[in-house]
């Protein structure tokens, strides 16, 4: 009997070890490797929660969110040109023909850049799966592929293999990527050049037969498609591409069930609830986001949270950055006239703009010319039902470093930089892969602040061979990196890892009671 028990225990131990090896969870604090490619157990999870709690209780708490925080809602990364954008462009022949022509010119230019880099002797890494684009004969010829964590070095492929010129050309082309931000930047630059040179330089001198009006239509078509992709409240759970993925089917069903039961913004609400339970003697938590979607706005509405987002006004909500210096208090009700701060408030900054921001002419009442309008009005504008709302503020271009020096973004980024330079500042970076140079600059400058702490939560993390790996290689004890299927996931982070500082959320109980009460009333009316 004892032998049988021992055999079972050994099998269970082997199974646990196998599960640990399969997990890609990592938790790095400077040089320390708390967890590396292992499953989370109860003790490790508790240790991480206590670690986060320590930082949430600092006076200056900041969060920066990227696309990874909205993926489960059906949002998509716009690093490459998404299928939805291509499909929308294809519906208009004139715009589609121009798109193909300019995309081809852009790819030719990028091909020259790839060749130049490799000829200089520089490494040029691409994702390994791009090799599958090659024909079988050439693939079999590439015997010595230097794979570095899912990436292949093009320079080494060309050096180590005897290839003729046509084969080299095919290898070079693997390095050509058409990123939406870069491509849009190219379109904007082209439009600007054509507009500024009108009447001064002929089309022949510009070496182009492009109609500036059609170029404007192409840019607008792309912006409209981006709007549709980011308008997550219109994406049903059944048509959500993330929830319909074949891999992780069981896990995705669990996520979908939770969102159906608690609301689609359940994970955003969990995060906000944790922030609101910080002691009232601390400064307001600051939420910075690079996303255009309204996920946090919807979550705040459902939780009854006031957010200070830089806009004032009733009929016309216009941008006034001084609003970030305001706060909310209960009026004094004692003879001393003491006031008490309202707890359900956050400060909210949309660094790259928002779906419901529009630009109109600047005037004395609104020197920035920026307005916040209801999302329904923006949808009406795009459906050509109304025209007098202004221009939609969506500009996902790689020239954002220059672009953000203009209003109103200069003010928002100034606030971001200022918050990170405060004493004992902590920045949680969630779902952002460090692709925006102008954002990275501010974070790197903050590392010059001795009391600054950086905590990165990203699914791939150090495995992307990019900026996050560089930060990890610094082995700076002020830098923490969480990555993997659980530790790098926004949903798990907000529900399981952020500590609930108060053990009980009374408001959640109130909302639950009201929901049951009104459901009972509705059922009663239906019976009558």
């Amino acid at each position: 009997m004892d032998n049988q028990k021992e055999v079972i225990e050994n099998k269970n131990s082997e199974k646990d070890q196998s599960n640990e090896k399969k997990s890609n969870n990592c938790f790095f604090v400077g040089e320390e490797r708390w967890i590396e490619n292992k499953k989370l157990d109860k003790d490790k999870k508790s240790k991480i929660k206590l670690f986060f709690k320590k930082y949430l209780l600092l006076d200056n708490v900041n969060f920066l969110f990227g696309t990874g925080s909205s993926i489960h809602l059906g949002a998509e990364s716009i690093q490459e040109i998404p299928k939805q954008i291509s499909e929308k462009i294809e519906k208009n022949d004139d715009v589609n023909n121009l798109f193909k022509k300019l995309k081809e010119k852009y790819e030719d230019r990028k091909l020259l850049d790839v060749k130049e880099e490799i000829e200089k002797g520089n490494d040029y890494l691409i994702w390994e799966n791009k090799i599958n684009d090659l024909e079988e004969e050439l693939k079999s010829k590439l015997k010595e592929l230097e794979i570095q964590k899912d990436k292949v070095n093009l320079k080494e492929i060309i050096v180590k293999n005897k290839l003729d010129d046509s084969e080299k050309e095919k290898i070079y082309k693997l390095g050509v990527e058409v990123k939406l931000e870069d491509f849009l930047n190219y379109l904007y630059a082209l439009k600007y050049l054509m507009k500024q040179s009108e009447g001064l330089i002929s089309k022949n001198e510009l070496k182009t037969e492009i109609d500036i009006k059609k170029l404007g239509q192409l840019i607008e078509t792309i912006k409209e498609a981006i709007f549709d992709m980011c308008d997550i409240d219109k994406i049903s759970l059944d048509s959500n591409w993330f929830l319909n993925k074949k891999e992780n089917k069981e896990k995705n069903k669990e996520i979908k069930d939770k969102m159906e039961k608690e609301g689609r913004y359940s994970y955003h609400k969990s995060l906000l609830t944790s922030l609101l339970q910080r002691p009232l003697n601390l400064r307001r938590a600051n939420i910075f986001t690079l996303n255009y979607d309204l996920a946090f706005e919807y979550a705040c509405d459902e939780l009854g949270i006031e957010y200070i987002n830089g806009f004032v006004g009733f009929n016309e909500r216009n941008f006034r950055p001084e609003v970030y210096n305001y706060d909310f208090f209960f009026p004094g009700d004692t003879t001393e006239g003491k006031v008490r701060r309202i707890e359900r408030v956050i400060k909210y900054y949309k660094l790259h703009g928002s779906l419901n921001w529009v630009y109109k002419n600047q005037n004395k009442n609104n020197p920035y010319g920026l307005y916040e309008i209801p999302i329904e009005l923006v949808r009406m504008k795009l459906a050509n039902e109304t025209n007098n709302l202004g221009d939609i503020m969506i500009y996902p271009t790689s020239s954002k470093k220059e672009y953000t020096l203009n209003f109103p973004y200069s003010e928002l980024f100034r606030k971001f930089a200022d918050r990170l330079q405060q004493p004992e500042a902590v920045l949680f970076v969630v779902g952002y892969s460090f692709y925006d140079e102008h954002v990275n600059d501010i974070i790197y400058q903050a590392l010059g602040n001795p009391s600054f702490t950086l905590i990165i939560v990203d699914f791939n993390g150090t495995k992307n061979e990019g900026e996050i790996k560089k930060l990890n290689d610094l082995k700076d004890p002020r830098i923490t990196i969480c990555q993997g299927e659980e530790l790098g996931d926004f949903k798990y982070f907000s529900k399981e890892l952020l500590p609930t500082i108060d053990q009980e959320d009374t408001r959640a109980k109130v909302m639950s009671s009201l929901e049951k009460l009104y459901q009972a009333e509705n059922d009663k009316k239906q019976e009558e």
Side-chain angles (χ1 to χ4, degrees), residues 247-470:
E247 60 269 29
N248 298 327
K249 202 170 182 180
E250 197 174 310
K251 189 177 180 182
N252 288 342
K253 186 183 181 304
E254 186 183 321
I255 294 166
K256 185 179 178 182
D257 290 343
K258 187 176 284 291
M259 289 165 72
E260 283 176 340
K261 183 181 177 184
E262 300 176 5
R264 72 171 64 203
Y265 304 106
S266 169
Y267 299 98
H268 287 77
K269 289 190 288 186
S270 290
L271 184 137
L272 289 169
T273 300
S274 289
L275 294 190
L276 291 176
Q277 292 174 350
R278 297 172 68 238
L280 280 176
N281 63 315
L282 300 175
R283 292 185 189 181
R284 302 291 189 193
N286 298 299
I287 290 183
F288 299 90
T289 179
L290 301 170
N291 301 335
Y292 307 113
D293 64 55
L294 306 179
F296 276 110
E297 286 91 331
Y298 287 122
C300 285
D301 285 349
E302 290 182 25
L303 290 172
I305 294 172
E306 289 285 352
Y307 54 90
I308 298 168
N309 69 343
F311 286 84
V312 292
F314 183 74
N315 291 318
E316 286 194 332
R317 287 186 58 75
N318 58 87
F319 184 70
R320 295 292 181 89
E322 64 269 22
V323 170
Y324 284 114
N325 298 321
Y326 299 171
D327 211 329
F328 291 86
F329 293 84
F330 288 110
D333 53 5
T334 64
T335 51
E336 293 86 4
K338 288 182 180 178
V339 295
R340 183 163 55 92
R341 198 168 70 153
I342 295 172
E343 69 272 17
R344 305 187 70 75
V345 179
I346 59 163
K347 295 198 174 182
Y348 186 44
Y349 307 76
K350 301 197 83 167
L351 296 175
H352 282 169
S354 178
L355 290 185
N356 62 337
W357 289 9
V358 295
Y359 175 76
K360 293 190 210 176
N361 292 332
Q362 297 159 259
N363 56 56
K364 62 180 181 181
N365 295 322
N366 189 351
Y368 291 92
L370 179 62
Y371 295 86
E372 181 184 49
I373 65 175
I375 190 67
E376 285 297 340
L377 288 181
V378 185
R379 291 171 186 152
M380 285 170 63
K381 176 180 172 63
L382 293 176
N384 295 319
E385 293 176 25
T386 183
N387 263 331
N388 58 349
L389 296 174
D391 296 325
I392 298 167
M393 300 286 283
I394 301 177
Y395 297 101
T397 73
S398 61
S399 63
K400 283 183 287 200
K401 189 166 185 178
E402 291 77 28
Y403 172 67
T404 48
L405 295 176
N406 298 328
F407 60 87
Y409 304 97
S410 56
E411 291 293 338
L412 294 168
F413 275 88
R414 190 174 63 80
K415 297 286 186 189
F416 181 46
D418 177 65
R419 296 298 178 263
L420 302 192
Q421 292 296 340
Q422 298 294 321
E424 293 192 336
V426 59
L427 176 66
F428 289 83
V429 178
V430 185
Y432 166 61
S433 299
F434 284 75
Y435 287 131
D436 285 339
E437 188 184 342
H438 60 295
V439 177
N440 298 350
D441 286 348
I442 292 173
I443 296 173
Y444 298 161
Q445 287 161 13
L447 286 167
N449 175 2
S451 63
F452 174 69
T453 301
L454 177 62
I455 298 173
I456 300 169
V457 179
D458 185 79
F459 186 84
N460 290 312
T462 59
K463 295 184 179 179
N464 268 349
E465 294 290 329
E467 296 301 310
I468 296 178
K469 185 178 185 304
K470 287 180 187 175

Side-chain angles (χ1 to χ4, degrees), residues 4 6 12 21 61 93 106 113 128-129 132 201 244 249 271 333 348 353 382 398 408 457 487 494 501 507 510 521:
Q4 188 178 356
E6 190 177 337
N12 287 336
K21 287 176 185 176
V61 172
D93 287 340
Y106 176 82
D113 293 341
E128 181 197 353
N129 58 16
N132 296 328
I201 305 175
N244 289 329
K249 202 170 182 180
L271 184 137
D333 53 5
Y348 186 44
L382 293 176
S398 61
V457 179
L487 290 179
S494 60
I501 295 169
R507 189 175 179 86
V510 171
E521 288 291 327

Side-chain angles (χ1 to χ4, degrees), residues 22-39:
K22 286 178 185 175
S23 174
N24 57 5
N25 281 318
C26 296
F27 193 89
F28 305 143
V29 184
E31 289 188 25
E32 295 180 45
R33 298 301 190 247
W34 287 24
I35 299 170
E36 190 160 15
N37 296 321
K38 290 183 179 178
K39 288 272 187 186

